Amino acid sequence: SLGSVGTGGTDGPTSVAVQGRYAYVLDNTTAKLQSFDVSNPAAPAILGGSIGTGASPNKVVISGKFAYVVNS
């Protein structure tokens, strides 16, 4: 079965990037980037806090150890 976890925004995620066992979720409503451990699809878990992205984030891309966020 698949689990779920809330991101705190009212409009839902704007962009999601997955690398290995981690999913990085960008939320336009809260203007934050959150990271999740998705190694167990039945119980995804949020990791630490969230990072502010600035106004109107649209896309997140992961490359190596870095997350790049594009704002409009």
Side-chain angles (χ1 to χ4, degrees):
S1 70
L2 294 177
S4 64
V5 62
T7 62
T10 57
D11 293 332
T14 305
S15 178
V16 176
V18 177
Q19 183 175 34
R21 62 185 258 184
Y22 301 106
Y24 301 89
V25 178
L26 186 61
D27 193 297
N28 193 2
T29 305
T30 61
K32 295 192 177 184
L33 176 67
Q34 297 173 300
S35 55
F36 297 85
D37 182 338
V38 293
S39 59
N40 179 356
I46 190 166
L47 299 172
S50 57
I51 298 169
T53 61
S56 304
N58 288 324
K59 177 105 174 145
V60 61
V61 176
I62 306 300
S63 180
K65 296 181 179 182
F66 298 96
Y68 299 92
V69 175
V70 177
N71 293 7
S72 56

